[in-house]
Amino acid sequence: MSSNDEKYSRLEAIYSEKQLKKFKNSHIAVIGLGGVGSFCASALARSGVGTLTIIDFDKIEASNINRQLFATESTIGELKTDAAQNYLREVNSALKIIAISEKINSTNLSQIKSVDYIVDAIDDVPAKIEIAKFAQENSVRLISCMGTAMRKDATLLRFDDIYKTSVCPLCKNVRKLAKENEIEKLEVLYSTEPAIKSQNGELGSTSYLPPIAGLMLAGKVLESI
C-alpha cells in the first residue's frame, strides 16, 4: 500500500469507494478561518476533498491561539489564508487551494458560483445575509454557523433552519434580516445554550467549542455531497 493510500485507509473503512471519489471531485468553499472555519477546512482536507476555496481577509493575532488551528506563536501577523495554505498542504499535498484574502463582496462571491458547498463561518451579519442571498440565487448549498462565543456546552449545538432557531442572539439578528431579504431557508448550526456573562468584558471563546462546531460543519458537508 502506498503512503497516499494509507493516508485514507481509515476513511475507506467507513465510506464507499463511490463516496470517496465524490470527496475527491468536490469543491468546497470555507468562508472565515477562525476557530470554526480553520477546523472545518482541516477536516475537509483530511477527508480527501479535491478543491478548497478559503476566504478570509484577516491576519492572525495572539488572541486567536486559544481556538484557531492555524494560529501559533510563529504565525502571528500572517494572513490567515497564507497560514492555512501552509498547513493544509502539509496535510494533503494533492489538495487544490484557492485563497482569497478579502472581505466578502459580490466579486469574490461570483468566484464560488460553481462550488458544491459553501460553509459560512464568519460573524459579520450583513455578510452572512449576502452569502445566503448569493447561495439562494445560484442554487448553491450552504451551511451557516451562528454564535459560538461565550458558550461552553458543545452538546447544545444543533442543526436547524434559521427560522426554527431560538436562544442565540446572532440567530435572532440573522432571522430578521433573512426575512427582510426574502431568504426562504437557511440551514444553520447554532447553540441553544444561553450566552455566559463575560468575566473581563471581552467576547470570550473556549479552546474546544468553536473547533467542535467546525468539525460538525465538515461532517454535515461530507454527508451531503
Side-chain angles (χ1 to χ4, degrees), residues 103-215:
K103 284 189 174 183
I104 283 297
N105 55 57
S106 57
T107 300
N108 53 45
L109 277 176
S110 68
Q111 296 178 47
I112 59 172
K113 188 177 292 187
S114 62
V115 301
D116 298 294
Y117 225 110
I118 298 171
V119 177
D120 159 25
I122 61 176
D123 297 325
D124 183 332
V125 175
K128 293 179 94 64
I129 296 300
E130 192 69 21
I131 294 166
K133 285 171 61 180
F134 169 84
Q136 180 170 285
E137 290 168 0
N138 292 281
S139 300
V140 180
R141 286 177 290 183
L142 167 67
I143 181 76
S144 181
C145 190
M146 298 292 112
T148 60
M150 303 309 297
R151 293 168 177 86
K152 296 191 295 185
D153 191 347
T155 67
L156 296 178
L157 289 167
R158 301 282 185 271
F159 288 105
D160 213 332
D161 186 82
I162 188 63
Y163 295 113
K164 297 180 181 179
T165 58
S166 61
V167 181
C168 173
L170 182 57
C171 285
K172 181 179 180 180
N173 292 336
V174 172
R175 273 199 314 272
K176 181 176 182 294
L177 285 177
K179 187 174 182 179
E180 290 175 2
N181 284 273
E182 299 182 341
I183 293 169
E184 296 173 5
K185 60 181 180 179
L186 173 59
E187 187 174 21
V188 300
L189 176 65
Y190 77 108
S191 175
T192 58
E193 179 183 8
I196 299 163
K197 185 177 180 181
S198 177
Q199 301 294 309
N200 62 2
E202 291 190 16
L203 189 64
S205 294
T206 66
S207 61
Y208 58 88
L209 197 144
I212 289 171
L215 296 175

Side-chain angles (χ1 to χ4, degrees), residues 76-90:
I76 291 172
E78 288 185 22
L79 284 168
K80 290 184 179 179
T81 49
D82 287 346
Q85 288 183 85
N86 292 335
Y87 181 95
L88 294 172
R89 288 200 173 101
E90 287 290 317

